[in-house]
Amino acid sequence: MRIAVLGSGFIARFYAESLHAQRRKDYITMVYSRTAENAKRFADDYGLPYYKTSMSEAIAHDEVDVVLISLPNHLHEAAVMECVKAKKHVICTKPLGRNALEAKRMLDAVEKAGIFGGYLEDLCYTPKFLKSMESVKRGDIGRVLWAKSRETHPGPHSDWFWDKEKSGGGAIIDLGCHCVEISRNFIGKNIKPIEVMCWADTQVHPIDAEDHAIGLVKYANGAIGQFEVSWTFRGGMDLRDEVMGTEGTIWLNSFLRTGFEMFTTGKGSDGYVAEKAESTTGWLFPVGDESHELGYPNMFTDMFEAIEEKREPLESFYDGYVVNAILDAAFVSAESKRWEPVILEDWRGDESEDTQKKWESYDDNHYLIKKEVLPNGDITFILKHKSTGEVSRKVILAK
Amino acid sequence: MRIAVLGSGFIARFYAESLHAQRRKDYITMVYSRTAENAKRFADDYGLPYYKTSMSEAIAHDEVDVVLISLPNHLHEAAVMECVKAKKHVICTKPLGRNALEAKRMLDAVEKAGIFGGYLEDLCYTPKFLKSMESVKRGDIGRVLWAKSRETHPGPHSDWFWDKEKSGGGAIIDLGCHCVEISRNFIGKNIKPIEVMCWADTQVHPIDAEDHAIGLVKYANGAIGQFEVSWTFRGGMDLRDEVMGTEGTIWLNSFLRTGFEMFTTGKGSDGYVAEKAESTTGWLFPVGDESHELGYPNMFTDMFEAIEEKREPLESFYDGYVVNAILDAAFVSAESKRWEPVILEDWRGDESEDTQKKWESYDDNHYLIKKEVLPNGDITFILKHKSTGEVSRKVILAK
Amino acid sequence: MRIAVLGSGFIARFYAESLHAQRRKDYITMVYSRTAENAKRFADDYGLPYYKTSMSEAIAHDEVDVVLISLPNHLHEAAVMECVKAKKHVICTKPLGRNALEAKRMLDAVEKAGIFGGYLEDLCYTPKFLKSMESVKRGDIGRVLWAKSRETHPGPHSDWFWDKEKSGGGAIIDLGCHCVEISRNFIGKNIKPIEVMCWADTQVHPIDAEDHAIGLVKYANGAIGQFEVSWTFRGGMDLRDEVMGTEGTIWLNSFLRTGFEMFTTGKGSDGYVAEKAESTTGWLFPVGDESHELGYPNMFTDMFEAIEEKREPLESFYDGYVVNAILDAAFVSAESKRWEPVILEDWRGDESEDTQKKWESYDDNHYLIKKEVLPNGDITFILKHKSTGEVSRKVILAK
Amino acid sequence: MRIAVLGSGFIARFYAESLHAQRRKDYITMVYSRTAENAKRFADDYGLPYYKTSMSEAIAHDEVDVVLISLPNHLHEAAVMECVKAKKHVICTKPLGRNALEAKRMLDAVEKAGIFGGYLEDLCYTPKFLKSMESVKRGDIGRVLWAKSRETHPGPHSDWFWDKEKSGGGAIIDLGCHCVEISRNFIGKNIKPIEVMCWADTQVHPIDAEDHAIGLVKYANGAIGQFEVSWTFRGGMDLRDEVMGTEGTIWLNSFLRTGFEMFTTGKGSDGYVAEKAESTTGWLFPVGDESHELGYPNMFTDMFEAIEEKREPLESFYDGYVVNAILDAAFVSAESKRWEPVILEDWRGDESEDTQKKWESYDDNHYLIKKEVLPNGDITFILKHKSTGEVSRKVILAK
């Protein structure tokens, strides 16, 4: 694949590093930036043949097969519409839109045009996440009850993130989009998200948007997704997922505790030690291959193979739309201070979910609440009578 | 101190182990249980001179200085009233009451009688917690923004926990009482808890009460307390606290990852390996000194010294009452699906809190949103104009 | 017990903190120091009734039941001899002697006098170590093959440690004594240590003694003890044990990763954050209750109960002597560059050990080297022919 | 590059998975195996156009640019000689030879033929290792004093490993080759390895070779490399590196603690959970992308780019030869029980190393042993007199 990158900022560089790491088949041929200087520097840094300051020219270029949007949030829609016009496949960084309305327009346009629309949700492609998903699908942890994802750090580097008009919000739109989609994968993409409860506040920074938020997303099968996002965390970037199932538990740490620990007095070094570390001396926790650990190579492989195989990628524009709809409900809830419904006019998953619980019976008259082997070998059963509801305890003595 | 223990179950044994560990000055002289057999066995196991099946006799006994209540929740109030009658100091296991009403009656009775009322909130006495509190008070992590405490395990061992009438609720009352008081300590006991948002569900067990809940507690200064409690967790007992402050972060793990890791095929052993482990083979994570790690010795030392020094303990009946009031609001919120006020008719902390934020200025016209040193040495400032609110970026190039 | 402390330095204070923590029965009545000022300050700090600058007066005092030696290494022997004269029980900090000769004289004198001689090897009393020993004794990890103990930090605080004449050596005598006794406990105190191989060097500090050493101790049953000690480690104090057995593995971390993690910018604090941390900002790893985690309370409880019960403590003067003998061999080996025998003229354990291995048979003609279940369900057996020694592979296909 | 794989076993499959992961430019065109069935299955599994049972035909094939040897150790030399004959570039799995003699013959033949000889030491290409090396080279941890690498697991899967004649040894040759080269990289490839001390024993398995060994490698600059290798470890595969420098410390865990933790009762799953885990229930520690975490993709990228750029790879046949020479000394030492010289007739690094230590002076008359800030703010200096050698202490009181 020959790729045009729209944008030349932080995330565009991350994408380029990943696309040019190892000996990949795919490569970037074009970069677009609003300023010629940035476009040129990016093209030079990655050895690209072309750069443009006209978005439509960049997209229409003959040597471009697929367009990669890594522009600020408020420019996604216009860029997608240009791809639609040029009938070029498009893959777009997260979040898809600033809200579900924008996302829905992009989704509809892409589907109508018959082009490919891939949603660059890298954290749903990390090696740990993909292996976890295999485990969950195999049933290793049983029925998923709760899936929490947390992303917190001291705040983004570019100015437009801090401008609510351009970004669509604060930590919720910037980080919550990751967390919501991670939980949604664990719980099941076919399960409908029903309602959201969210707390959000601006605790530290002089901005209009929230810099800290916690939200709960209730799904049709009773499972709960949780997101914890913040631009006020101190200590680096905290990126953790936790999943509870009826038969097991999964804990992932993608950034701060990955088996790489280092202490330095700083005396021997020239001052630079590790990225995003918030300190350059003392105990540091670098990540081996940051780009891979964050999912980029797996994501691009899936996207390009999906295009070739004419199949949906793991993360599509439709997923981006659902995420936006959930975040919309979160913003409403943060204001209304109550649970708010997720409004999904276009729902493609299971319509209803049987939430009838199947209790385990101990005998004809009792449900089993808990069985426990005591240290002395006695076995205790805590039971509930099926009709009276009375709780009782039965002990089988060890021989 | 000569101690009478009311109750002879799981937690009573934990208390006894702690009181008789090391070479302590204090010792148990008496145990009360409703059944003579249990009372006798307990007295034998710990070498106590006396046991009784009459609570009032046990309490009134000459060789009893202080009464330790480790009875099921619905029996706390009656036991406290007996202590009041006998004018004996009383220390009571958590939660104090099944609700704030009960707790308030106990608090009032004890204060009126002029006896000591200690609240046995052990998790606010763990070595890690106490040292964390020193750090927080010293200002190491700045202003506390968020304090989360999590306690989850596969469910309690005794039948009465599972009976909502006797316990007062499910995981919220059993585990949430710990978490709420932990957060409250980190945020500051003088700061008023204002309102609570709580999700609760019965996801797994055939019971009336909740077996999983997540709650947020908003404090007068804008800080947020969070509790995550469950009787559905698989993998042992998960006991973790996390605190975010403007200048730092604290993470505590009190049970599953404490620097003790062990693998066993199970082939060499007689079947028993580690308590609460949910498995006896594979990787296990024992706790060195479980009782100390859970705070019991420090708690009893504080209680008995407080009695001798005629001062308040770190955790008093008043604290137990505040915790109950917060949990009451959580139960209401779980039903109403909105934030609910914490009703505290007896509030002894700060009345109002200045929530006016003091933004850091960059210059006369701008607030500083973020300062960042880039890898190339450039320094970027993200600024907000004080009157227009416009976000801008300023770069000072590296020399 | 009423305790006289000889010495008023760093370790004496650690002992005192532990003895006066919680509400213990035992208390210090007396302190001896060579300088009156230090003695007085120590007595004031811990509320002691008496202090002396005459060691014999301190020991002979009526209100002293047991003498605790926390003096520099070269003063241990003289202090023990004073206790022998006064017929007072003695407990002595590690190492017992600067070499086995000194240790043997102390051991003999104490035994001849019929007084109690306890060896204050605190790291064999940590909660994690004691619980590990239970596991090992229960057979959870099978036959112990290798036991490694590591203690490294940036070097001790007092001048006499760095003076080879006074201390008896460098990191080997200071830290190796801990590690050797930890391994010896795991492997079995009844198993004879046979020979030692040791590398030692002075890599960093301008001293005569070694500041870094690694040693292997071979035991009569083929098990290997390993010590890694250094005064050149950067990052705090690294205190880890690892044990490999035929049926399992144990990993202990007693100081740097114990479930307590903290980040601080340092901006909010007054400069002091955590002890032994080598830095006051960034990620820090405090220990909850340092004294307990290092074994002091359990150690003193064992010592005083042993005196009362007229039994041997877990760690006695004899153990101190064996440790010195092993370290003597290590010093010789570091010079000779070959394995050196452990010279134990007084050996009280098992005399010979059957080192004949019992191989597991697969059938009459073959030993089983390894059995493995492959992902596809096939079972492979790697076999060795009993007479020809030929290695072969047998596969049982999955159904 | 079009690659011919010689061998179709476990490691050949690992190589193939890595070469065909992502969308790489390079691909396998040919596989050789001694048995047609294995060759065909391998070709089918990875979609290869050709397979052969004649090694020379496989190597000579037109569509083969580079030959990848993944055969048992005793077949490496013959395979290399075939590549030399055919003038095809060759990359060979570890260890290069069964001993330095074999390795030297391969090295010489390849160099004489002018073909590329790459040494497939994957663990020197893991993301964590590469990033650590950047840190070490930047000086973050100062002068390297000690570099330990540990690889232990319950033993290999194929029969030939257990046959000393075919493999060249046991755990030392199988795992020690990794560890020795890891340490050598950290200490510096230009620094000459001087002598080796090694303990080795057959503790558990009925084999002739060692199943457990520990070795020390002394380098010309005084730094120490350490390897710990075993086929007797229980609990999975333990893969850890530790480095101590004068200004810092690095700890890497490449397999068992990488931020992925999972508990499963096993009830919900079909029995398979995670590879190399030694158990399928309880707490498991999967690795996200095992192949990447073990270094394969980075290794192949370096090899193929080196061929194209006509430069040496990071790990060459020469490195393989040095590793074999060090392991040879280890085998001799395990027998002789003393330090044994590393015999390197072909040494290409620095010839001599200045081991003169430069002590830090406190003033004209004293070296500085240690400076420490006490909790009360006092600063202590431990000093050594330059001529008398006397150790003293100086305190500057806090204001």
Side-chain angles (χ1 to χ4, degrees), chain D residues 337-364:
Chain D
K337 301 182 69 171
R338 64 176 74 191
W339 286 87
E340 293 288 348
V342 178
I343 297 165
L344 277 170
E345 54 182 73
D346 183 356
W347 173 243
R348 303 175 183 182
D350 299 348
E351 206 38 63
S352 78
E353 175 74 18
D354 179 15
T355 58
Q356 174 59 44
K357 272 117 177 181
K358 291 148 204 88
W359 309 129
E360 190 179 347
S361 282
Y362 175 77
D363 58 22
D364 284 358

Side-chain angles (χ1 to χ4, degrees), chain D residues 103-113 317 345-346 348:
Chain D
K104 186 68 165 59
R105 286 195 299 260
M106 292 187 246
L107 169 64
D108 289 346
V110 157
E111 295 194 335
K112 200 172 157 200
F317 267 36
E345 54 182 73
D346 183 356
R348 303 175 183 182

Side-chain angles (χ1 to χ4, degrees), chain C residues 145 148 155 157 195 197 202 204 206 226 234 240 242 246 249 337 339 357 359 370 382 384, chain D residues 145 148 155 157 195 197 202-204 206 226 234 240 242 246 249 337 339 357 359 370 382 384:
Chain C
L145 302 169
K148 196 251 303 262
H157 37 85
E195 52 183 0
M197 164 66 212
T202 310
V204 171
Q226 180 174 334
R234 307 307 304 258
R240 278 180 290 163
E242 298 184 16
T246 51
T249 294
K337 300 182 70 173
W339 287 87
K357 271 119 177 178
W359 309 129
K370 201 185 182 206
I382 297 179
K384 179 177 178 175
Chain D
L145 302 170
K148 196 255 297 268
H157 38 84
E195 52 184 359
M197 165 65 213
T202 311
Q203 289 187 308
V204 171
Q226 180 174 335
R234 306 309 303 259
R240 278 180 289 163
E242 299 183 16
T246 49
T249 294
K337 301 182 69 171
W339 286 87
K357 272 117 177 181
W359 309 129
K370 201 184 183 208
I382 297 178
K384 180 178 176 173

Side-chain angles (χ1 to χ4, degrees), chain B residues 81-322:
Chain B
M81 295 309 166
E82 287 285 349
C83 297
V84 164
K85 250 187 265 173
K87 298 275 180 189
K88 290 284 174 83
H89 297 307
V90 57
I91 54 183
C92 181
T93 195
K94 59 91 222 171
L96 185 56
R98 284 174 294 180
N99 51 57
L101 219 63
E102 273 194 4
K104 187 66 166 57
R105 286 195 299 259
M106 292 185 246
L107 169 65
D108 289 345
V110 157
E111 296 194 336
K112 202 174 154 196
I115 58 173
F116 180 89
Y119 178 51
L120 299 180
E121 176 41 84
D122 56 291
L123 294 183
C124 293
Y125 287 98
T126 74
K128 284 169 184 164
F129 181 82
L130 293 176
K131 192 165 272 188
S132 298
M133 283 301 298
E134 286 173 34
S135 250
V136 168
K137 286 183 172 160
R138 200 163 47 217
D140 294 343
I141 65 165
R143 173 165 57 96
V144 172
L145 302 170
W146 173 79
K148 196 254 298 266
S149 178
R150 175 178 174 83
E151 180 167 359
T152 64
H153 59 55
H157 38 86
S158 291
D159 47 359
W160 66 264
F161 280 98
W162 302 91
D163 182 335
K164 200 176 174 172
E165 185 50 36
K166 290 178 181 157
S167 59
I172 291 178
I173 197 85
D174 179 30
L175 309 174
C177 60
H178 288 304
C179 302
V180 157
E181 187 62 352
I182 287 169
S183 294
R184 201 181 144 240
N185 270 279
F186 280 126
I187 290 167
K189 282 189 175 181
N190 57 318
I191 311 297
K192 197 170 187 179
I194 301 298
E195 52 184 359
V196 178
M197 166 65 212
C198 179
W199 164 83
D201 199 357
T202 311
Q203 288 187 310
V204 171
H205 300 92
I207 55 170
D208 300 325
E210 74 287 350
D211 58 14
H212 195 168
I214 297 163
L216 299 175
V217 182
K218 193 184 291 174
Y219 284 79
N221 64 351
I224 284 287
Q226 181 173 335
F227 61 84
E228 294 176 14
V229 294
S230 185
W231 287 345
T232 71
F233 181 77
R234 305 310 301 260
M237 183 159 77
D238 185 17
L239 221 56
R240 277 180 290 164
D241 305 326
E242 299 183 16
V243 190
M244 283 167 64
T246 50
E247 302 297 333
T249 294
I250 291 173
W251 291 346
L252 305 182
N253 192 323
S254 297
F255 222 81
L256 280 175
R257 298 294 182 272
T258 65
F260 192 150
E261 313 179 53
M262 177 172 160
F263 179 88
T264 173
T265 62
K267 200 175 161 187
S269 158
D270 59 7
Y272 175 81
V273 174
E275 58 272 67
K276 289 210 180 71
E278 271 218 287
S279 67
T280 56
T281 61
W283 281 101
L284 304 171
F285 300 87
V287 174
D289 180 344
E290 204 173 305
S291 164
H292 191 63
E293 202 69 20
L294 292 178
Y296 296 110
N298 292 333
M299 177 176 74
F300 286 123
T301 291
D302 178 50
M303 291 294 160
F304 301 142
E305 287 186 354
I307 291 173
E308 286 178 0
E309 300 167 5
K310 298 189 191 309
R311 63 164 171 84
E312 285 289 292
L314 291 181
E315 293 291 324
S316 70
F317 267 36
Y318 180 72
D319 295 306
Y321 157 69
V322 174

Side-chain angles (χ1 to χ4, degrees), chain D residues 17 42 99 180 185 206 225 227 238 254 268 270 280 289 310 316 323 342 352 355 372 376:
Chain D
E17 303 280 357
F42 191 97
N99 50 57
V180 157
N185 270 279
F227 62 83
D238 186 17
S254 296
D270 59 7
T280 56
D289 180 345
K310 298 188 192 308
S316 70
V323 168
V342 178
S352 78
T355 58
E372 194 168 359
N376 65 4

